[in-house]
């Protein structure tokens, strides 16, 4: 019954946030013979359930740590620190707002300053406001957040998604109405607004932005948005503000009259790999697609099925949907097992209550 | 006889009429609503005749989500420079005289009727509702006792007898005559279901109710709707049914949006009685057996319903609702989880759906009525299977 809504990758753990209010930390240091289920730590966060999780990795003195942020369905943000030396996870108290000021947040994102001067944290709100904080991690038990800027939307519209590029000092906010606003992180000044128009006029009209991601260098912005009940992925150039292409699958269906799409269902999340050569997308149609960013061709498609699991705890329900709600690339050298050091991997979460890890084949 | 209740100030020639129960109930504890209202009316008219200025002190209606304003008062003065204040005063006086008239004749009217007796004065229905609510709270009576009630709106479809135990008065209903308005009941009533039924179905909206009340296909079931937010009478009717027939399953069928879930929650936990009219302590409105029909899991709800975007208000309601739902740790953990799951998914997808129209798989738009009844049957089977797992 429990749904996983978000996944993030850190060096020691794959972290998932779920509807029962738990954060789960799945050990990445496992071999082929280990069972993932037996190498997991649980932390209960909030009774209303969790829908977003993000992680930030750095050193405090000589200890490698992970700062984890997660958002509850009631709109609160909670923080935890992973001590990567001993693998322990402990909650820390962070004041995001002044006292008595309770905002409800939705999407969150960290941005790391490679010169360790000013790390950023961003969070969106139902009213469309995006807030940016600067933060420092003072010790293994505390971090200080100070408000850096606030981006107000032109119209009140739900801010569904967010990403921050350190390299280009840009922030992208995706909205329910199909707009993506690109802003300068330092000054909170808007740079470009991209309009995405989904299928309208049908009974399922929708243009919702589901995910925005900068390429590692920040020169490209990938946007996943609804087109009716289909999902599209569009690439924008962040310097010139141009639409530079779409990722599409060839369609022979007579049912689609307008436009091309990437998935036969909403695209919930997209992610670049560490080189920026590949983009992965997860769809409500139960498919995971890996795209070549240069050629915009499909490199691979993974079809999820409820029978993927070999686990007696999950009853096989023929009506269950394997809709993929989240996906992240796993960089080389993070996840254990054969080929983990040399090949990219994927962590996929889906509405059949499961998490799956995949690895690029070959080269072992 | 000196009456503290009508405190009279000789210096400023002011009369303060306190509606506040702290003052009124101490002195007027044993008095009937009619006596209390007449006393207030007399004080006001005497004051006007004596050319005194009058201050009317009414305990205001509690606003939802703000229970701390019990101490604040709403005060109307006569004479006043403020048009609105004068109007409020006039409305109050008019209402009191109408209520007295009705109580004398032992007549119970609806608040709607009271409004129609002087439309130009009251301007809209909510003015009447607010004042009646305030008067009830101030005097410590419920709305039935002062003779101004909401029109019943709950509908029911089924073969049942409703018996008033206090006087053995029986009303009989048959599905051949269609649905019926749930009569005004209290906790002394007994409800008899005249032949075995499979389940009781609670429907959020009247439109769906009307579609599925089919004497041929739904004869083995009892269907109830409160037409949106249920009134106390409908909730009490369901409460009596669930107590008298604990073995019959009760299912709730609502739109896939926070409003629908909120309405189902009203049936389940009886709603927030602090925000209702004065109710007697023994009255019960909850129905813990209510099971929400699971419309989201195992289903591409996208393909079955017309989906709409979540609005900002939908999110705000959801943020509140998702927190309120799970404060109490009762034994209904599965049901709580279903509520939470449905709220979470709609928030995550950012979509809601109204269930008036079930899309048929083939494009030949067949009879929507049959589709809906079939769909409900399927969902109930799945709900039952889910319990067994």
């Amino acid at each position: 019954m429990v749904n996983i809504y978000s996944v993030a990758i850190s060096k020691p753990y794959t972290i998932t946030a779920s509807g029962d209010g738990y954060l789960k930390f799945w050990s990445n240091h496992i071999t082929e013979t280990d069972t993932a289920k037996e190498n997991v730590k649980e932390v209960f966060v909030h009774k209303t359930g969790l829908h977003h999780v993000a992680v930030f990795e750095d050193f405090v003195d000589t200890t490698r740590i992970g700062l984890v942020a997660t958002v509850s369905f009631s709109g609160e943000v909670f923080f935890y620190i992973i001590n990567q030396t001993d693998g322990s996870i402990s909650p820390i108290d962070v004041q995001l707002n002044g006292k008595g000021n309770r905002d409800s947040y939705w999407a969150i994102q960290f941005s790391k300053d490679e010169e360790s001067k000013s790390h950023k944290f961003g969070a969106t709100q139902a009213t469309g406001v995006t807030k940016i904080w600067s933060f420092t991690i003072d010790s293994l038990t505390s971090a200080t957040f100070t408000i850096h800027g606030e981006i107000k939307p032109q119209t009140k519209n739900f801010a569904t998604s967010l990403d921050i590029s350190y390299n280009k000092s840009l922030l992208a906010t995706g909205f329910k109405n199909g707009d993506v606003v690109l802003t300068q992180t330092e000054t909170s000044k808007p740079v470009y607004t991209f309009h995405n128009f989904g299928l309208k006029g049908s009974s399922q009209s929708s243009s919702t932005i589901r995910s925005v991601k900068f390429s590692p260098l920040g020169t490209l912005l990938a946007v996943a948005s609804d087109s009716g009940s289909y999902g599209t992925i569009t690439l924008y150039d962040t310097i010139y503000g141009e639409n530079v292409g779409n990722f599409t699958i060839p369609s022979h269906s007579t049912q689609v009259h307008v436009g091309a799409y990437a998935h036969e269902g909403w695209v919930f999340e997209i992610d670049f790999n560490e080189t920026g050569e590949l983009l992965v997308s997860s769809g409500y149609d139960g498919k995971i697609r890996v795209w070549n960013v240069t050629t915009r061709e499909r490199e691979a498609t993974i079809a999820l099925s409820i029978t993927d699991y070999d686990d007696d705890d999950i009853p096989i329900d023929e009506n269950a949907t394997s809709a993929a709600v989240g996906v992240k690339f796993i960089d080389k050298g993070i996840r254990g097992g054969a080929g983990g050091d040399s090949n990219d991997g994927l962590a996929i979460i889906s509405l059949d209550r499961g998490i799956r890890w995949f690895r690029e084949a070959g080269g072992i | 006889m000196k009456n503290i209740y009508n405190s009279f100030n000789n210096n400023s020639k002011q009369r303060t009429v306190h509606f506040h129960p702290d003052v009124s109930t101490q002195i007027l504890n044993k008095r009937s609503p009619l006596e209390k209202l007449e006393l207030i009316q007399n004080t006001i008219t005497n004051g006007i005749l004596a050319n005194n200025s009058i201050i009317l002190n009414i305990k205001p209606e509690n606003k939802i989500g703000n229970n701390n304003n019990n101490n604040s008062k709403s005060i109307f003065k006569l004479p006043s420079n403020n048009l609105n204040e004068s109007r409020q005063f006039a409305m109050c006086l008019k209402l009191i005289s109408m209520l007295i008239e009705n109580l004398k004749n032992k007549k119970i009217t609806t608040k709607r009727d009271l409004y129609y007796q002087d439309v130009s004065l009251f301007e809209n229905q909510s003015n009447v509702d607010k004042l009646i609510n305030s008067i009830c709270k101030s005097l410590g009576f419920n709305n039935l006792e002062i003779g101004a009630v909401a029109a019943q709106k709950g509908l029911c479809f089924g073969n049942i007898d409703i018996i008033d135990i206090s006087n053995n008065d029986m009303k009989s209903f048959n599905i051949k005559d269609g649905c019926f308005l749930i009569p005004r009941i209290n906790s002394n009533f007994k409800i008899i279901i005249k032949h075995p039924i499979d389940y009781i179905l609670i429907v959020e909206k009247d439109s769906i109710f009307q579609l599925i009340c089919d004497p041929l296909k739904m004869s083995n079931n009892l269907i109830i709707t409160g037409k949106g937010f249920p009134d106390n009478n409908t909730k009490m009717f369901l409460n009596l049914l669930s107590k008298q027939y604990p073995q019959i399953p009760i299912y709730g069928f609502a739109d896939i949006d926070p409003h629908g879930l909120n309405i189902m929650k009203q049936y389940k936990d009886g709603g927030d009685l602090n925000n209702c009219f004065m109710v007697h302590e023994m009255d019960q409105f909850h129905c813990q057996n209510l099971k929400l029909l699971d419309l989201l899991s195992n289903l591409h709800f996208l393909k079955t319903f017309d989906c709409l975007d979540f609005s900002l208000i939908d999110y705000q309601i959801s943020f509140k609702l998702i927190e309120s739902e799970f404060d109490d740790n009762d034994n209904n953990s599965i049901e709580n989880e279903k509520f939470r799951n449905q709220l979470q998914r709609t928030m995550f997808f950012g979509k809601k759906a109204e269930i008036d129209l079930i899309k048929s798989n083939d494009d030949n738009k067949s009879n929507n009525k049959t589709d809906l009844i079939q769909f409900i049957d399927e969902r109930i089977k799945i709900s039952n299977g889910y319990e067994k797992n």
Side-chain angles (χ1 to χ4, degrees):
Chain A
M1 193 65 191
V2 175
N3 292 305
I4 302 174
Y5 287 109
S6 184
V7 60
I9 312 288
S10 72
K11 178 98 173 100
Y13 303 113
T14 301
I15 308 162
T16 56
S18 47
D20 57 357
Y22 279 90
L23 279 183
K24 286 193 177 164
F25 298 82
W26 311 80
S27 177
N28 284 332
H29 304 300
I30 58 168
T31 63
E32 295 287 300
T33 50
D34 288 332
T35 317
K37 235 172 54 154
E38 287 160 6
N39 289 282
V40 60
K41 289 180 185 171
E42 294 183 347
V43 176
F44 179 73
V45 182
H46 201 259
K47 61 176 180 175
T48 59
L50 307 171
H51 57 73
H52 271 81
V53 62
V55 61
F56 170 88
E57 291 183 291
D58 202 4
F59 287 92
V60 172
D61 299 327
T62 54
T63 316
R64 197 179 160 85
I65 60 108
L67 177 61
V68 181
T70 185
V71 193
S72 71
F73 273 92
S74 55
E76 291 163 86
V77 187
F78 300 88
F79 291 91
Y80 292 83
I81 282 186
I82 308 170
N83 179 333
Q84 299 197 1
T85 312
D86 60 9
S88 65
I89 301 145
S90 38
I92 60 161
D93 194 22
V94 167
Q95 286 286 344
L96 284 184
N97 294 308
K99 273 190 183 138
N101 180 1
R102 193 178 170 283
D103 289 326
S104 295
Y105 296 104
W106 186 257
I108 50 169
Q109 191 57 273
F110 287 109
S111 159
K112 187 173 181 179
D113 179 353
E114 299 299 343
E115 291 160 12
S116 287
K117 278 182 200 149
S118 172
H119 305 308
K120 293 287 190 306
F121 176 72
T124 69
Q125 291 178 274
T127 52
V129 173
T130 306
K131 286 192 175 179
I132 311 163
W133 290 265
S134 302
F135 69 94
T136 50
I137 301 170
D138 313 319
S139 68
L140 289 174
T141 52
S142 81
T144 313
F145 281 65
T146 39
I147 191 92
H148 178 83
E150 189 173 312
I151 305 163
K152 292 205 170 72
Q154 288 118 335
T155 53
K156 269 200 178 181
N157 204 286
F158 195 90
T160 51
S161 48
L162 168 77
D163 198 22
I164 309 173
S165 162
Y166 163 72
N167 284 316
K168 289 279 175 286
S169 190
L170 286 172
L171 184 145
T173 310
F175 291 92
K176 172 121 269 165
N177 65 358
D179 287 355
V180 178
V181 177
L182 207 59
T183 320
Q184 287 177 349
T185 317
E186 286 307 316
T187 59
S188 304
K189 276 188 184 151
V191 186
Y192 294 119
T193 300
F194 306 125
H195 302 287
N196 288 271
F197 301 105
L199 283 178
K200 294 262 183 195
S202 75
S203 56
Q204 295 164 342
S205 36
S206 180
S207 319
T208 304
I209 306 291
R210 302 255 168 212
S211 182
V212 289
K213 280 284 156 60
F214 286 105
S215 63
L217 293 176
T219 49
L220 290 174
L221 178 72
V223 173
S225 63
D226 293 355
S227 180
S229 61
Y230 298 90
T232 63
I233 306 169
T234 315
L235 271 183
Y236 292 95
D237 181 307
T238 60
I239 298 164
Y240 298 104
E242 291 288 327
N243 177 334
V244 290
N246 296 289
F247 294 108
T248 54
I249 51 170
S251 165
H252 305 291
S253 163
T254 51
Q255 293 199 329
V256 185
H257 308 290
V258 199
Y261 54 86
H263 281 264
E264 266 183 81
W266 298 327
V267 175
F268 281 106
E269 192 166 36
I270 46 179
D271 195 32
F272 282 101
N273 73 339
E274 60 183 321
T275 62
E277 291 167 300
L278 299 173
L279 183 88
V280 65
S281 57
S282 61
Y284 197 55
D285 57 359
K287 299 216 164 57
I288 301 293
R289 297 211 153 98
V290 180
W291 311 84
N292 183 315
V293 175
T294 320
T295 62
R296 279 182 262 130
E297 296 280 325
R298 270 178 300 168
E299 295 268 322
T301 299
I302 300 166
L304 303 182
S305 156
I306 187 71
T307 53
D308 290 347
Y309 301 114
D310 182 17
D311 186 339
D312 295 336
D313 288 351
I314 301 178
I316 292 198
D317 178 348
E318 285 169 9
N319 294 317
T321 52
S322 290
V325 293
V327 65
K328 287 276 161 45
F329 264 109
I330 306 171
D331 295 347
K332 295 178 178 96
I334 289 202
R335 188 133 179 114
D341 287 337
S342 51
N343 295 6
D344 281 333
L346 292 172
I348 299 161
I349 53 168
S350 60
L351 282 185
D352 56 18
R353 290 163 284 175
I355 173 162
R356 300 163 171 87
W357 289 269
F358 286 85
R359 185 173 51 243
E360 185 194 346
I364 303 177
Chain B
M1 186 181 75
K2 188 170 161 70
N3 202 336
I4 318 165
Y5 170 62
N6 309 323
S7 62
F8 182 69
N9 187 332
N10 275 325
N11 298 332
S12 66
K13 291 224 169 187
Q14 269 193 350
R15 271 165 207 253
T16 307
V17 183
H18 284 284
F19 272 63
H20 207 276
D22 302 344
V23 184
S24 57
T25 47
Q26 278 165 18
I27 304 147
L28 301 169
N29 223 354
K30 291 281 154 62
R31 302 207 187 194
S32 71
L34 179 60
E35 287 169 315
K36 279 191 191 183
L37 287 169
E38 276 183 332
L39 206 66
I40 292 164
Q41 193 188 32
N42 287 341
T43 316
I44 296 173
T45 35
N46 289 343
I48 293 171
L49 290 174
N51 255 339
N52 293 334
S53 69
I54 297 169
I55 298 171
L56 205 56
N57 188 347
I58 302 186
K59 193 185 184 189
E61 178 197 32
N62 278 358
K63 294 214 170 60
I64 291 166
N66 185 3
N67 290 324
N68 299 327
N69 64 351
N70 284 340
N71 292 327
S72 66
K73 287 162 183 165
S74 60
I75 293 170
F76 310 123
K77 283 186 202 146
L78 184 83
S80 158
N81 295 330
N82 184 327
L83 178 66
N84 189 37
E85 198 173 345
S86 308
R87 179 183 282 279
Q88 288 284 340
F89 196 99
M91 285 196 285
C92 197
L93 199 55
K94 176 81 186 179
L95 261 183
I96 288 170
S97 64
M98 288 195 295
L99 289 174
I100 289 172
E101 202 58 39
N102 283 339
L103 285 168
K104 275 185 185 157
N105 298 330
K106 296 207 162 54
K107 203 174 118 197
I108 290 174
T109 56
T110 63
K111 291 184 279 186
R112 193 81 185 147
D113 282 342
L114 290 175
Y115 162 68
Y116 275 122
Q117 301 211 5
D118 198 338
V119 177
S120 60
L121 173 67
F122 293 121
E123 280 186 332
N124 59 51
Q125 180 70 49
S126 71
N127 281 335
V128 177
D129 295 354
K130 272 185 215 155
L131 269 177
I132 295 279
N133 201 352
S134 302
I135 292 173
C136 283
K137 284 212 162 145
S138 305
L139 299 180
F141 295 116
N142 71 22
N143 52 343
L144 191 60
E145 284 167 323
I146 68 160
V149 294
Q152 304 114 288
K153 63 172 189 164
L155 295 176
C156 179
F157 179 80
N159 292 318
I160 57 172
D161 289 338
I162 300 173
I163 303 166
D164 184 352
I165 294 175
S166 60
N167 59 11
N168 269 329
D169 183 24
M170 187 176 94
K171 290 189 179 103
S172 196
F173 299 98
N174 193 301
I175 55 169
K176 286 190 192 109
D177 309 324
C179 61
F180 63 90
L181 197 64
I182 298 172
R184 203 156 274 132
I185 55 166
N186 62 46
S187 42
N188 287 324
F189 277 60
K190 193 169 160 53
I191 303 166
I192 295 168
I193 300 175
K194 285 187 278 191
H195 61 76
I197 60 167
D198 298 336
Y199 55 81
I200 298 170
L201 185 70
I202 312 297
V203 183
E204 179 195 348
K205 294 195 293 194
D206 190 31
S207 54
I208 307 244
F209 178 82
Q210 300 296 353
L211 265 181
I212 61 175
C213 284
D214 184 330
L216 296 174
K217 294 200 172 97
M218 281 294 192
S219 59
N220 290 331
N221 311 313
L222 192 69
I223 313 171
I224 297 171
T225 182
K227 297 184 193 161
F229 248 72
D231 57 356
N232 286 351
N233 199 53
T234 312
K235 286 188 282 189
M236 189 187 270
F237 181 74
L238 182 62
N239 174 270
L240 290 178
L241 269 175
S242 71
K243 278 192 293 202
Q244 281 159 19
Y245 295 94
Q247 74 284 5
I248 299 177
I250 302 173
Y251 298 105
F253 188 59
D255 280 349
I256 307 173
D257 62 17
H259 291 283
L261 281 173
N262 198 9
I263 285 166
M264 285 301 136
K265 185 173 176 284
Q266 302 296 317
Y267 285 109
K268 200 173 167 63
D269 64 18
D272 185 357
L273 295 184
N274 292 326
N275 286 327
C276 296
F277 281 119
M278 305 283 288
V279 288
H280 291 293
E281 279 173 22
M282 60 192 178
D283 290 346
Q284 290 184 328
F285 302 101
H286 64 270
C287 173
Q288 285 293 347
N289 303 345
L290 177 76
K291 288 178 187 156
L292 186 69
L293 276 189
D294 206 351
L295 302 180
L296 275 189
S297 72
N298 306 343
L299 180 89
H300 276 282
F301 86 111
L302 264 177
K303 302 229 158 83
T304 318
F305 307 108
D306 283 349
C307 290
L308 298 167
D309 271 343
F310 242 51
S311 68
L312 185 57
I313 290 160
D314 289 326
Y315 274 108
Q316 281 161 345
I317 297 172
S318 302
F319 282 138
K320 281 217 179 84
L321 199 59
I322 202 164
E323 271 196 290
S324 71
E325 196 62 53
F326 310 99
D327 281 346
D328 49 348
N329 284 322
D330 56 16
N331 300 322
N332 271 294
S333 57
I334 293 180
E335 280 307 304
N336 265 344
E337 202 155 297
K338 254 198 265 178
F339 270 85
R340 188 177 62 178
N341 194 29
Q342 186 150 330
L343 260 174
Q344 286 178 346
R345 284 203 181 186
T346 48
M347 287 170 83
F348 187 78
F349 294 153
K351 295 284 165 186
K352 59 183 176 180
E354 305 209 341
I355 46 175
D356 295 63
L357 206 128
I358 310 281
K359 287 183 208 160
S360 41
N361 290 329
D362 49 64
D363 281 340
N364 310 325
K365 280 264 160 76
S366 56
N367 190 351
N368 193 33
K369 186 175 176 176
T370 328
D371 286 353
L372 204 57
I373 293 173
Q374 261 176 13
F375 178 77
I376 291 169
D377 263 357
E378 275 166 31
R379 296 325 292 178
I380 284 174
K381 274 183 202 131
I382 289 170
S383 256
N384 287 335
Y386 179 81
E387 297 293 311
K388 278 167 204 149
N389 277 339

